[in-house]
Amino acid sequence: MRVLRSQFFWQAVVVGTLVWLGYVLASNIEANLAKSNIKLSFDFLSGQAGFDISESLLSVSSESSYASVILAGVINTVTLAICCIIGATVIGVLMGILRSSGHYLGERVAAFYIEITRNLPKLLILLALYLAMVTALPVVRESWSLFDVIHISNRAVYFPIIAQGAGLYWLFLMVALWPVALVLLGRVAARAQDKTGKRFPVFWPVTAGALLLIAAPALLGLAPYTLSWPELKGFDFAGGGRISVQFCVLVLALSIYHGGQVAELVRGAIQSVPVGQFEAAKASGLSFGQMTRLVILPQAIRAAVPSMGNQYLNITKNTSIGLAVGYSDLVSVMTTSINQTFRPIELMTVSMCVYLGICLIVSWLVNVYNARVMAVRA
Amino acid sequence: MKVRFVLPAAFAVLAGLSTQVQAGPVMDQIKTDDSLVCLVNTNSPGFSVPDSQGVYQGFNTDFCRMAAAAILGDANKADIRGIGFSDSMKTIVAEGAHIASRSITRTGTRDANPGMRFVATTFYDGQGFMIPKKLGVASAADLNGATVCAEEGSTTLLNIADWFGDRGIEYRVENIADKSARLQAFFSGKCDVMASDRTALSSDRLLAENPGDYTILPEVISNEPLTILSRPDASLETAIYWAFQVMLNAEAMGITSENVDAIMADLENQPKGIVRLLSAESAAGEMAQQIGLPADWSYQVIKQVGNYAEVYERHLGTETTFGMDRSGTVNALSKDGGLLYPDPIR
């Protein structure tokens, strides 16, 4: 009981100190702002931003408000983070498996890759890749064209897209329903397996059904898909879709950089699986692929998930180096806004809250997943 | 390689705001430290670039030296530090430096900030466009659909948005923070056009493999008065403003760093204007007393830094790689049709 009480005392002291420090900081800022005639206000967010950004999934222009330009920056940051997380995971898991595969050449190649990427600053990797791509790829008027469908230049990759209309919405609907159908039918299949011991196939029938439904309206002539093709007009391609080179370079650079760190996590996780599991899998006649997929990875994932979550948070925050190469992420939009409005405290508060929000969501998702894989063990 | 670290900057600003702002302590601090911290561009040929010893040299740096010569009597007491554009103003507001001579455009909203003062415009610039000659564009009005490279975070972004928007011309922007990435993007054709201050363009053009392949379009789309920035402090602002006027007056009167010693030795036989400019017993001395400067401040500025023309010709003029002819431009003295108007020292 005494132990508990003294613990409580020190905890109270720590909390008290933190609250006091926070109060001192806040009152200090407030007093000095008042002295310098600066009032904290977020009213400027509804004002016209007056600058354009390089790319956005929203349609923003220089006439949009600061709030909507910042939102476009947030969406760009999130898009980039998602792509980098996928890229780093794929590269990292493959390299991690290779690193602990026992294959001489494979292990050396993976070790080389990991040591290089872990020991170089990410900004250097980014700038080197950017300069290489911008120099090596052709200018837009001399783009490499793949069957006149996809055009690659040092400005962007251009490709045809489905033009807006009923067809596009039907496509979105089907693509959204496809995983839902997979999950639902998967449950039915699992229940059937419990009862009868036999499992009927789920993935291929559902996918085939989805594809058929996607194609149906066009085949029946109800809602034809109209394609918008990129066409070289004047200085640039018009129509179609485009992915900028800086976005590709960022995804590549951050995936490669973080892939090295993920690979080491994966290797550690694989090594945490008891040797008996490998031996048992081999003794059962499983191939290397089967062993990895069915026996080792499911167990290794548990060890890897918490530190992978950490990596994902790092990736999310590291997307902010995008402004170096002209990707309009949150930090880039914020920097320009600060220089125009000179409201650093408000804008940095906004972006810190956004980053905190994004990272808390990532963290929550990882924790949910972690709870799921932990439950499997029980 | 300049990346803006958001958090340190935030803390710098917070730290700055949580210390006292008083009237006039900056000048005292400079004298106590016997050193004047001055911010310049990290890599801007002609304006400020580190030489082989790592010491910044250039047009902008000379105004740091001017301030140190006037206040401390020794131009070498300027502690010149390179810094990225958007951090420079934050650093001044956060009281991390005394002045900035960094090609910063004086604008209304920036000047309204109580944490900094724009003091003396050293160079009148304007924003323009650079384009590869092979595109065959003669006027910026023909740029419909073009991709424009510009520095991240600068007024350039707003000026091009206004200019293209007013004319209903479609364009795309590539706002790249890293300078080498930006230049490479332009030189390898990722952008069609580069937008920046026209002097910056002519200095950037020299970095191309073949500068002759690029041309600067005739349109000037903005006014860019590049101005020395100082911490708010009445005596510091007065000292910098008048040290700059000394350089303009010296040019108008034909006094240079070469002949100033001879003129000083024979001061009683000089015209009255020169006496007022240089003599400790005349206007210059009176000002020194009131502002709190060394009695020979005007002499030190001219002797150690030179007059305005000397500084211009040393770094930007026709004898340099930039070859920017000053005659007939807005940066000439008012008597030669420019905007630089020497205020009377009397």
Side-chain angles (χ1 to χ4, degrees), chain B residues 62 247 250-251 255-259 301-303 305-316 326:
Chain B
D62 271 357
M247 290 173 68
E251 184 191 347
I255 310 171
T256 66
S257 56
E258 310 269 307
N259 68 15
V301 167
I302 301 169
K303 177 67 191 161
V305 184
N307 67 33
Y308 185 88
E310 285 181 274
V311 170
Y312 187 101
E313 297 302 333
R314 194 184 304 152
H315 301 294
L316 307 171
R326 183 172 165 226

PDB file of all heavy atoms in Angstrom, chain B residues 62 247 250-251 255-259 301-303 305-316 326:
ATOM      1  N   ASP B  62      28.211  42.817 -49.098  1.00  0.00           N
ATOM      2  CA  ASP B  62      28.875  44.096 -48.890  1.00  0.00           C
ATOM      3  C   ASP B  62      28.036  45.034 -48.032  1.00  0.00           C
ATOM      4  O   ASP B  62      28.569  45.912 -47.364  1.00  0.00           O
ATOM      5  CB  ASP B  62      29.225  44.752 -50.233  1.00  0.00           C
ATOM      6  CG  ASP B  62      30.599  44.309 -50.727  1.00  0.00           C
ATOM      7  OD1 ASP B  62      31.259  43.558 -49.973  1.00  0.00           O
ATOM      8  OD2 ASP B  62      31.003  44.709 -51.820  1.00  0.00           O
ATOM      9  N   MET B 247      26.944  55.832 -48.949  1.00  0.00           N
ATOM     10  CA  MET B 247      27.476  55.180 -50.153  1.00  0.00           C
ATOM     11  C   MET B 247      26.934  55.847 -51.418  1.00  0.00           C
ATOM     12  O   MET B 247      27.647  55.986 -52.414  1.00  0.00           O
ATOM     13  CB  MET B 247      27.136  53.689 -50.142  1.00  0.00           C
ATOM     14  CG  MET B 247      27.910  52.928 -49.069  1.00  0.00           C
ATOM     15  SD  MET B 247      27.378  51.229 -48.894  1.00  0.00           S
ATOM     16  CE  MET B 247      27.920  50.544 -50.432  1.00  0.00           C
ATOM     17  N   ALA B 250      28.538  59.340 -51.657  1.00  0.00           N
ATOM     18  CA  ALA B 250      29.941  59.216 -52.057  1.00  0.00           C
ATOM     19  C   ALA B 250      30.027  59.009 -53.563  1.00  0.00           C
ATOM     20  O   ALA B 250      30.861  59.621 -54.244  1.00  0.00           O
ATOM     21  CB  ALA B 250      30.587  58.047 -51.318  1.00  0.00           C
ATOM     22  N   GLU B 251      29.119  58.181 -54.101  1.00  0.00           N
ATOM     23  CA  GLU B 251      29.142  57.974 -55.547  1.00  0.00           C
ATOM     24  C   GLU B 251      28.845  59.286 -56.278  1.00  0.00           C
ATOM     25  O   GLU B 251      29.540  59.661 -57.222  1.00  0.00           O
ATOM     26  CB  GLU B 251      28.134  56.912 -55.972  1.00  0.00           C
ATOM     27  CG  GLU B 251      28.240  56.632 -57.459  1.00  0.00           C
ATOM     28  CD  GLU B 251      27.119  55.781 -58.020  1.00  0.00           C
ATOM     29  OE1 GLU B 251      26.358  55.175 -57.246  1.00  0.00           O
ATOM     30  OE2 GLU B 251      27.015  55.718 -59.262  1.00  0.00           O
ATOM     31  N   ILE B 255      33.551  60.183 -54.577  1.00  0.00           N
ATOM     32  CA  ILE B 255      34.485  59.697 -53.558  1.00  0.00           C
ATOM     33  C   ILE B 255      34.488  58.166 -53.600  1.00  0.00           C
ATOM     34  O   ILE B 255      33.424  57.539 -53.544  1.00  0.00           O
ATOM     35  CB  ILE B 255      34.067  60.154 -52.146  1.00  0.00           C
ATOM     36  CG1 ILE B 255      33.805  61.653 -52.137  1.00  0.00           C
ATOM     37  CG2 ILE B 255      35.130  59.778 -51.128  1.00  0.00           C
ATOM     38  CD1 ILE B 255      33.191  62.154 -50.846  1.00  0.00           C
ATOM     39  N   THR B 256      35.684  57.574 -53.690  1.00  0.00           N
ATOM     40  CA  THR B 256      35.771  56.112 -53.734  1.00  0.00           C
ATOM     41  C   THR B 256      36.681  55.636 -52.608  1.00  0.00           C
ATOM     42  O   THR B 256      37.319  56.443 -51.934  1.00  0.00           O
ATOM     43  CB  THR B 256      36.373  55.631 -55.064  1.00  0.00           C
ATOM     44  OG1 THR B 256      37.739  56.080 -55.110  1.00  0.00           O
ATOM     45  CG2 THR B 256      35.613  56.181 -56.263  1.00  0.00           C
ATOM     46  N   SER B 257      36.748  54.329 -52.424  1.00  0.00           N
ATOM     47  CA  SER B 257      37.628  53.779 -51.397  1.00  0.00           C
ATOM     48  C   SER B 257      39.090  54.078 -51.737  1.00  0.00           C
ATOM     49  O   SER B 257      39.937  54.138 -50.855  1.00  0.00           O
ATOM     50  CB  SER B 257      37.396  52.274 -51.270  1.00  0.00           C
ATOM     51  OG  SER B 257      37.592  51.660 -52.534  1.00  0.00           O
ATOM     52  N   GLU B 258      39.373  54.313 -53.007  1.00  0.00           N
ATOM     53  CA  GLU B 258      40.746  54.594 -53.447  1.00  0.00           C
ATOM     54  C   GLU B 258      41.154  56.028 -53.075  1.00  0.00           C
ATOM     55  O   GLU B 258      42.244  56.244 -52.568  1.00  0.00           O
ATOM     56  CB  GLU B 258      40.850  54.458 -54.970  1.00  0.00           C
ATOM     57  CG  GLU B 258      40.283  53.165 -55.514  1.00  0.00           C
ATOM     58  CD  GLU B 258      41.334  52.091 -55.604  1.00  0.00           C
ATOM     59  OE1 GLU B 258      42.380  52.366 -56.222  1.00  0.00           O
ATOM     60  OE2 GLU B 258      41.115  50.997 -55.041  1.00  0.00           O
ATOM     61  N   ASN B 259      40.256  56.992 -53.355  1.00  0.00           N
ATOM     62  CA  ASN B 259      40.678  58.386 -53.188  1.00  0.00           C
ATOM     63  C   ASN B 259      40.229  59.004 -51.872  1.00  0.00           C
ATOM     64  O   ASN B 259      40.503  60.165 -51.597  1.00  0.00           O
ATOM     65  CB  ASN B 259      40.202  59.240 -54.386  1.00  0.00           C
ATOM     66  CG  ASN B 259      38.677  59.388 -54.428  1.00  0.00           C
ATOM     67  OD1 ASN B 259      37.999  59.109 -53.454  1.00  0.00           O
ATOM     68  ND2 ASN B 259      38.166  59.825 -55.572  1.00  0.00           N
ATOM     69  N   VAL B 301      32.945  53.529 -43.804  1.00  0.00           N
ATOM     70  CA  VAL B 301      32.085  52.863 -44.788  1.00  0.00           C
ATOM     71  C   VAL B 301      32.703  52.984 -46.181  1.00  0.00           C
ATOM     72  O   VAL B 301      32.835  51.998 -46.915  1.00  0.00           O
ATOM     73  CB  VAL B 301      30.658  53.452 -44.767  1.00  0.00           C
ATOM     74  CG1 VAL B 301      29.852  52.991 -45.978  1.00  0.00           C
ATOM     75  CG2 VAL B 301      29.937  53.062 -43.478  1.00  0.00           C
ATOM     76  N   ILE B 302      33.102  54.216 -46.534  1.00  0.00           N
ATOM     77  CA  ILE B 302      33.643  54.428 -47.883  1.00  0.00           C
ATOM     78  C   ILE B 302      34.993  53.722 -48.035  1.00  0.00           C
ATOM     79  O   ILE B 302      35.264  53.068 -49.043  1.00  0.00           O
ATOM     80  CB  ILE B 302      33.786  55.934 -48.172  1.00  0.00           C
ATOM     81  CG1 ILE B 302      32.423  56.619 -48.058  1.00  0.00           C
ATOM     82  CG2 ILE B 302      34.394  56.165 -49.545  1.00  0.00           C
ATOM     83  CD1 ILE B 302      32.490  58.127 -48.074  1.00  0.00           C
ATOM     84  N   LYS B 303      35.827  53.824 -46.987  1.00  0.00           N
ATOM     85  CA  LYS B 303      37.175  53.247 -47.063  1.00  0.00           C
ATOM     86  C   LYS B 303      37.114  51.714 -47.159  1.00  0.00           C
ATOM     87  O   LYS B 303      37.777  51.101 -47.985  1.00  0.00           O
ATOM     88  CB  LYS B 303      37.968  53.678 -45.823  1.00  0.00           C
ATOM     89  CG  LYS B 303      39.364  53.090 -45.730  1.00  0.00           C
ATOM     90  CD  LYS B 303      40.255  53.637 -46.818  1.00  0.00           C
ATOM     91  CE  LYS B 303      41.567  52.856 -46.911  1.00  0.00           C
ATOM     92  NZ  LYS B 303      42.227  53.055 -48.201  1.00  0.00           N
ATOM     93  N   VAL B 305      34.294  49.620 -47.596  1.00  0.00           N
ATOM     94  CA  VAL B 305      33.335  48.960 -48.484  1.00  0.00           C
ATOM     95  C   VAL B 305      33.299  49.625 -49.863  1.00  0.00           C
ATOM     96  O   VAL B 305      33.234  48.952 -50.886  1.00  0.00           O
ATOM     97  CB  VAL B 305      31.912  48.951 -47.858  1.00  0.00           C
ATOM     98  CG1 VAL B 305      30.944  48.184 -48.736  1.00  0.00           C
ATOM     99  CG2 VAL B 305      31.947  48.364 -46.460  1.00  0.00           C
ATOM    100  N   GLY B 306      33.366  50.962 -49.864  1.00  0.00           N
ATOM    101  CA  GLY B 306      33.338  51.681 -51.136  1.00  0.00           C
ATOM    102  C   GLY B 306      32.021  52.385 -51.343  1.00  0.00           C
ATOM    103  O   GLY B 306      31.101  52.247 -50.530  1.00  0.00           O
ATOM    104  N   ASN B 307      31.903  53.127 -52.435  1.00  0.00           N
ATOM    105  CA  ASN B 307      30.617  53.746 -52.729  1.00  0.00           C
ATOM    106  C   ASN B 307      29.726  52.744 -53.470  1.00  0.00           C
ATOM    107  O   ASN B 307      30.165  51.637 -53.787  1.00  0.00           O
ATOM    108  CB  ASN B 307      30.789  55.070 -53.492  1.00  0.00           C
ATOM    109  CG  ASN B 307      31.348  54.874 -54.897  1.00  0.00           C
ATOM    110  OD1 ASN B 307      31.065  53.877 -55.544  1.00  0.00           O
ATOM    111  ND2 ASN B 307      32.143  55.828 -55.354  1.00  0.00           N
ATOM    112  N   TYR B 308      28.472  53.126 -53.731  1.00  0.00           N
ATOM    113  CA  TYR B 308      27.520  52.169 -54.309  1.00  0.00           C
ATOM    114  C   TYR B 308      28.012  51.632 -55.649  1.00  0.00           C
ATOM    115  O   TYR B 308      27.956  50.424 -55.914  1.00  0.00           O
ATOM    116  CB  TYR B 308      26.143  52.836 -54.462  1.00  0.00           C
ATOM    117  CG  TYR B 308      25.077  51.882 -54.947  1.00  0.00           C
ATOM    118  CD1 TYR B 308      24.340  51.131 -54.044  1.00  0.00           C
ATOM    119  CD2 TYR B 308      24.820  51.724 -56.308  1.00  0.00           C
ATOM    120  CE1 TYR B 308      23.375  50.242 -54.474  1.00  0.00           C
ATOM    121  CE2 TYR B 308      23.856  50.826 -56.746  1.00  0.00           C
ATOM    122  CZ  TYR B 308      23.137  50.097 -55.831  1.00  0.00           C
ATOM    123  OH  TYR B 308      22.189  49.209 -56.264  1.00  0.00           O
ATOM    124  N   ALA B 309      28.536  52.537 -56.479  1.00  0.00           N
ATOM    125  CA  ALA B 309      28.997  52.118 -57.809  1.00  0.00           C
ATOM    126  C   ALA B 309      30.111  51.085 -57.709  1.00  0.00           C
ATOM    127  O   ALA B 309      30.136  50.105 -58.466  1.00  0.00           O
ATOM    128  CB  ALA B 309      29.478  53.335 -58.589  1.00  0.00           C
ATOM    129  N   GLU B 310      31.020  51.298 -56.747  1.00  0.00           N
ATOM    130  CA  GLU B 310      32.122  50.334 -56.606  1.00  0.00           C
ATOM    131  C   GLU B 310      31.581  48.951 -56.261  1.00  0.00           C
ATOM    132  O   GLU B 310      32.021  47.940 -56.798  1.00  0.00           O
ATOM    133  CB  GLU B 310      33.070  50.785 -55.484  1.00  0.00           C
ATOM    134  CG  GLU B 310      33.974  51.943 -55.851  1.00  0.00           C
ATOM    135  CD  GLU B 310      34.889  52.298 -54.685  1.00  0.00           C
ATOM    136  OE1 GLU B 310      34.448  53.080 -53.821  1.00  0.00           O
ATOM    137  OE2 GLU B 310      36.005  51.772 -54.621  1.00  0.00           O
ATOM    138  N   VAL B 311      30.624  48.910 -55.313  1.00  0.00           N
ATOM    139  CA  VAL B 311      30.061  47.627 -54.894  1.00  0.00           C
ATOM    140  C   VAL B 311      29.341  46.963 -56.068  1.00  0.00           C
ATOM    141  O   VAL B 311      29.513  45.769 -56.333  1.00  0.00           O
ATOM    142  CB  VAL B 311      29.087  47.835 -53.705  1.00  0.00           C
ATOM    143  CG1 VAL B 311      28.317  46.563 -53.412  1.00  0.00           C
ATOM    144  CG2 VAL B 311      29.863  48.281 -52.479  1.00  0.00           C
ATOM    145  N   TYR B 312      28.562  47.755 -56.810  1.00  0.00           N
ATOM    146  CA  TYR B 312      27.822  47.207 -57.945  1.00  0.00           C
ATOM    147  C   TYR B 312      28.775  46.641 -58.985  1.00  0.00           C
ATOM    148  O   TYR B 312      28.634  45.495 -59.434  1.00  0.00           O
ATOM    149  CB  TYR B 312      26.938  48.304 -58.557  1.00  0.00           C
ATOM    150  CG  TYR B 312      26.006  47.803 -59.633  1.00  0.00           C
ATOM    151  CD1 TYR B 312      24.669  47.561 -59.350  1.00  0.00           C
ATOM    152  CD2 TYR B 312      26.470  47.554 -60.926  1.00  0.00           C
ATOM    153  CE1 TYR B 312      23.812  47.092 -60.332  1.00  0.00           C
ATOM    154  CE2 TYR B 312      25.622  47.079 -61.906  1.00  0.00           C
ATOM    155  CZ  TYR B 312      24.289  46.850 -61.602  1.00  0.00           C
ATOM    156  OH  TYR B 312      23.453  46.379 -62.572  1.00  0.00           O
ATOM    157  N   GLU B 313      29.772  47.460 -59.359  1.00  0.00           N
ATOM    158  CA  GLU B 313      30.675  47.029 -60.430  1.00  0.00           C
ATOM    159  C   GLU B 313      31.534  45.846 -59.998  1.00  0.00           C
ATOM    160  O   GLU B 313      31.889  44.991 -60.809  1.00  0.00           O
ATOM    161  CB  GLU B 313      31.575  48.192 -60.888  1.00  0.00           C
ATOM    162  CG  GLU B 313      30.818  49.374 -61.490  1.00  0.00           C
ATOM    163  CD  GLU B 313      29.954  48.984 -62.699  1.00  0.00           C
ATOM    164  OE1 GLU B 313      30.293  48.008 -63.387  1.00  0.00           O
ATOM    165  OE2 GLU B 313      28.919  49.660 -62.926  1.00  0.00           O
ATOM    166  N   ARG B 314      31.862  45.779 -58.697  1.00  0.00           N
ATOM    167  CA  ARG B 314      32.704  44.697 -58.189  1.00  0.00           C
ATOM    168  C   ARG B 314      32.006  43.342 -58.353  1.00  0.00           C
ATOM    169  O   ARG B 314      32.623  42.332 -58.653  1.00  0.00           O
ATOM    170  CB  ARG B 314      32.990  44.964 -56.708  1.00  0.00           C
ATOM    171  CG  ARG B 314      34.114  44.142 -56.099  1.00  0.00           C
ATOM    172  CD  ARG B 314      34.219  44.427 -54.606  1.00  0.00           C
ATOM    173  NE  ARG B 314      34.401  45.848 -54.319  1.00  0.00           N
ATOM    174  CZ  ARG B 314      33.997  46.432 -53.183  1.00  0.00           C
ATOM    175  NH1 ARG B 314      33.394  45.735 -52.248  1.00  0.00           N
ATOM    176  NH2 ARG B 314      34.176  47.724 -52.984  1.00  0.00           N
ATOM    177  N   HIS B 315      30.685  43.320 -58.161  1.00  0.00           N
ATOM    178  CA  HIS B 315      29.999  42.023 -58.117  1.00  0.00           C
ATOM    179  C   HIS B 315      29.069  41.758 -59.301  1.00  0.00           C
ATOM    180  O   HIS B 315      28.846  40.613 -59.658  1.00  0.00           O
ATOM    181  CB  HIS B 315      29.192  41.916 -56.823  1.00  0.00           C
ATOM    182  CG  HIS B 315      30.029  42.042 -55.597  1.00  0.00           C
ATOM    183  ND1 HIS B 315      30.980  41.116 -55.259  1.00  0.00           N
ATOM    184  CD2 HIS B 315      30.075  42.996 -54.640  1.00  0.00           C
ATOM    185  CE1 HIS B 315      31.568  41.484 -54.134  1.00  0.00           C
ATOM    186  NE2 HIS B 315      31.050  42.628 -53.744  1.00  0.00           N
ATOM    187  N   LEU B 316      28.489  42.817 -59.869  1.00  0.00           N
ATOM    188  CA  LEU B 316      27.459  42.588 -60.880  1.00  0.00           C
ATOM    189  C   LEU B 316      27.751  43.251 -62.218  1.00  0.00           C
ATOM    190  O   LEU B 316      27.131  42.912 -63.225  1.00  0.00           O
ATOM    191  CB  LEU B 316      26.093  43.123 -60.366  1.00  0.00           C
ATOM    192  CG  LEU B 316      25.626  42.637 -59.007  1.00  0.00           C
ATOM    193  CD1 LEU B 316      24.395  43.424 -58.573  1.00  0.00           C
ATOM    194  CD2 LEU B 316      25.294  41.158 -59.052  1.00  0.00           C
ATOM    195  N   ARG B 326      24.765  48.874 -65.692  1.00  0.00           N
ATOM    196  CA  ARG B 326      23.914  49.609 -64.759  1.00  0.00           C
ATOM    197  C   ARG B 326      23.321  50.863 -65.403  1.00  0.00           C
ATOM    198  O   ARG B 326      22.234  51.307 -65.009  1.00  0.00           O
ATOM    199  CB  ARG B 326      24.759  49.983 -63.545  1.00  0.00           C
ATOM    200  CG  ARG B 326      23.994  50.686 -62.467  1.00  0.00           C
ATOM    201  CD  ARG B 326      24.859  50.845 -61.221  1.00  0.00           C
ATOM    202  NE  ARG B 326      24.285  51.817 -60.315  1.00  0.00           N
ATOM    203  CZ  ARG B 326      24.965  52.785 -59.723  1.00  0.00           C
ATOM    204  NH1 ARG B 326      26.260  52.901 -59.953  1.00  0.00           N
ATOM    205  NH2 ARG B 326      24.366  53.621 -58.907  1.00  0.00           N
TER     206      ARG B 326
END
